[in-house]
Amino acid sequence: MNIENSYIIPIKVDSYKDLFYEFDFSSIENRDLRDDIDSFISNKVLDLNQNKNTTAILEIYLSYN
């Protein structure tokens, strides 16, 4: 991966569960992201669409506890 042409999309949550709907009991691979997080990521990726050579990197920051 060429970090030089990458755009980092940071997301900070208190727990891993905060990324997903509270009552989605599907396996982790099949869970839907919360609407606000999904929209945030989608908007950032759409902004990058102008530069086809840019790679988006999703970084999820979790609290230590």
Side-chain angles (χ1 to χ4, degrees):
M1 176 180 6
N2 185 356
I3 196 86
E4 189 174 296
N5 292 329
S6 298
Y7 180 77
I8 297 172
I9 302 171
I11 295 179
K12 183 179 178 184
V13 291
D14 291 328
S15 73
Y16 191 69
K17 293 178 185 178
D18 290 344
L19 293 171
F20 305 102
Y21 286 112
E22 182 177 355
F23 297 108
D24 187 349
F25 299 108
S26 305
S27 64
I28 200 73
E29 301 87 23
N30 296 322
R31 290 185 190 173
D32 290 329
L33 291 173
R34 286 187 355 222
D35 284 340
D36 58 333
I37 293 175
D38 187 47
S39 294
F40 176 75
I41 294 169
S42 296
N43 289 333
K44 294 297 181 184
V45 169
L46 286 174
D47 289 343
L48 297 176
N49 233 1
Q50 297 172 4
N51 186 353
K52 304 272 188 226
N53 294 327
T54 302
T55 301
I57 299 172
L58 182 61
E59 286 189 355
I60 300 172
Y61 296 95
L62 297 169
S63 64
Y64 185 71
N65 297 332

